[in-house]
Amino acid sequence: MNNALVLTNGLLVQPDAKTAHGLIRGTERFTVKGIIDGEQTKGKDAGELLDGKHRNIPVFSNLSEALASLTDIQYLVIGVATVGGRLPGNMLEVVKTAIASGLSIVNGLHEYLNEKPEVVALAQQHGVQLIDVRKPKTREQLHFWTGEVFKVKAPIIAVIGMDCAMGKRTTARMLRQACDKNGIKSEMVYTGQTGWLQGGKYGFVFDSTLNDFVSGELEHAIVSAWKESGAEIIFIEGQSSLRNPSGPCGSELLISGDAKHVILLFAPKRKYFDNDEHWGRIPSVESEIALIHAFGSKVIAVAINTEDCTPEEAFAYQKEYQEKLGIPVLLPMQEGVEPILPQLKELIAQKK
């Protein structure tokens, strides 16, 4: 069994809890039985708090309350992705209590539990696992880029954002699910810890991979997904953005991953990278499309992250950018991603 609680400790409705957000929306690796957050959100449904959709995932104020209400829990998943990957100080004691209660811990942060002697000793005492998802692979496990990606016959589409926390993983997952629902064999290559937590079969954790092997790990995941699954189309989850100064990522997907098509996400009301004026202003969508074109790839659609938008504003932005850019503009949270399926089918047909 893979029944799990997800720990957010007061951050559930904040962007830092995007790992929890992904698990709330869906995972094939765990059955999420509840969220541990705090008094302010206690008793509410996590899905309703996240995006207004009831998902029968209760929110508890603390671990003791959750364990008193639920049975057969095997895992506690740390559900936050903080800047720098540090474990928030108020979570360590909860983790220790969970271990003492017989729960294995799944940690997607850069701060590894297996490097904390007291936590390791406690886990050994209680016979539970410490799973550090972001722990780097050994040199023997890593792959170097070979050029084999050029043999892949399926269209490769990169889902890239103009900043962090734009919904890249969620959109890529929705695209895969929409394809599967409509008889298109697809795969998603995950590039972050949450993609693995959601049950991803193919991928790697980009930001904990030795730089020399990022291109090779990306290629290996794409080629493996194509060969082993027979996918007709492959989606790659983007990381950060092409021009976010804290982590400019994306060129690897376009060049090393041979992604000749892009779905680009942006948030019209977000003005600065990571909402920090000091980090610089986010460039225009038009300039990002031009930059992607300069890499030899084509933006086939734009998807809007509608944070801070009213429903009326969201649809107004959709109309504005559709007229301005002349390409499909998706509202994944409001309308799903099905409107782009005809275009995806056309790309598949061109590859055959």
Side-chain angles (χ1 to χ4, degrees):
M1 296 178 67
N2 291 309
N3 293 337
L5 293 168
V6 179
L7 177 63
T8 55
N9 259 31
L11 297 173
L12 178 57
V13 296
Q14 303 300 320
D16 276 354
K18 63 181 182 179
T19 294
H21 298 167
L23 293 172
I24 292 165
R25 288 189 170 115
T27 167
E28 289 79 50
R29 197 174 298 280
F30 300 99
T31 299
V32 177
K33 293 292 189 177
I35 309 293
I36 301 166
D37 192 56
E39 287 293 332
Q40 287 190 324
T41 52
K42 171 185 175 180
K44 298 180 181 178
D45 180 81
E48 291 180 354
L49 285 172
L50 179 60
D51 52 24
K53 297 178 182 177
H54 187 85
R55 291 183 170 88
N56 197 32
I57 300 176
V59 181
F60 299 95
S61 62
N62 55 59
L63 178 63
S64 298
E65 180 185 285
L67 292 177
S69 301
L70 302 169
T71 57
D72 296 323
I73 303 296
Q74 290 81 40
Y75 295 92
L76 177 74
V77 181
I78 296 173
V80 298
T82 57
V83 173
R86 303 290 295 182
L87 179 70
N90 61 356
M91 289 192 178
L92 186 56
E93 290 307 312
V94 181
V95 167
K96 290 179 179 179
T97 302
I99 292 170
S101 301
L103 303 187
S104 292
I105 311 299
V106 184
N107 170 38
L109 297 168
H110 284 302
E111 187 173 341
Y112 307 132
L113 296 177
N114 279 291
E115 292 182 356
K116 297 181 182 295
E118 75 281 11
V119 177
V120 172
L122 191 63
Q124 290 173 344
Q125 178 185 342
H126 292 278
V128 301
Q129 291 180 288
L130 300 177
I131 302 169
D132 288 314
V133 179
R134 257 176 166 155
K135 191 170 184 180
K137 294 180 180 179
T138 64
R139 168 63 189 86
E140 292 71 28
Q141 294 173 306
L142 292 167
H143 300 84
F144 199 76
W145 193 85
T146 66
E148 194 177 2
V149 71
F150 296 141
K151 298 177 183 177
V152 174
K153 300 301 181 186
I156 302 168
I157 298 180
V159 182
I160 292 178
M162 292 191 63
D163 193 18
C164 301
M166 279 279 169
K168 300 178 284 287
R169 183 198 67 257
T170 297
T171 302
R173 184 176 166 88
M174 291 175 72
L175 286 162
R176 180 183 63 77
Q177 290 172 330
C179 285
D180 293 350
K181 183 180 175 182
N182 286 273
I184 302 170
K185 293 181 72 175
S186 68
E187 273 298 342
M188 169 185 157
V189 170
Y190 69 83
T191 55
Q193 72 280 4
T194 307
W196 181 87
L197 289 167
Q198 288 184 297
K201 297 177 184 176
Y202 302 99
F204 69 110
V205 181
F206 189 110
D207 62 17
S208 61
T209 300
L210 191 63
N211 188 59
D212 266 4
F213 298 94
V214 166
S215 295
E217 286 295 292
L218 176 63
E219 178 187 57
H220 177 71
I222 294 168
V223 171
S224 298
W226 178 61
K227 284 184 175 180
E228 295 173 14
S229 74
E232 298 174 278
I233 193 165
I234 295 171
F235 302 102
I236 311 175
E237 172 200 4
Q239 288 296 319
S240 188
S241 75
L242 282 166
R243 290 187 272 187
N244 183 311
S246 73
C249 305
S251 59
E252 295 92 344
L253 278 61
L254 305 178
I255 299 173
S256 306
D258 198 35
K260 296 302 181 188
H261 301 93
V262 171
I263 294 174
L264 180 65
L265 279 87
F266 81 108
K269 289 204 169 183
R270 194 185 302 188
K271 304 302 180 187
Y272 304 103
F273 289 115
D274 250 28
N275 289 309
D276 189 332
E277 186 173 357
H278 179 66
W279 286 22
R281 183 174 285 273
I282 297 173
S284 69
V285 176
E286 292 88 341
S287 71
E288 197 85 349
I289 291 173
L291 179 58
I292 291 167
H293 181 76
F295 276 109
S297 298
K298 180 182 179 182
V299 176
I300 60 171
V302 165
I304 298 179
N305 176 322
T306 55
E307 63 183 17
D308 301 325
C309 294
T310 65
E312 294 76 17
E313 287 174 324
F315 287 104
Y317 279 125
Q318 181 185 43
K319 181 180 179 183
E320 174 189 344
Y321 279 91
Q322 215 151 254
E323 292 174 353
K324 191 186 296 186
L325 302 175
I327 57 176
V329 177
L330 305 174
L331 293 175
M333 291 297 101
Q334 289 80 6
E335 298 181 325
V337 295
E338 283 78 3
I340 201 175
L341 285 177
Q343 202 166 347
L344 299 182
K345 290 177 180 178
E346 188 177 329
L347 291 177
I348 293 169
Q350 291 170 4
K351 274 280 190 177
K352 289 181 177 178

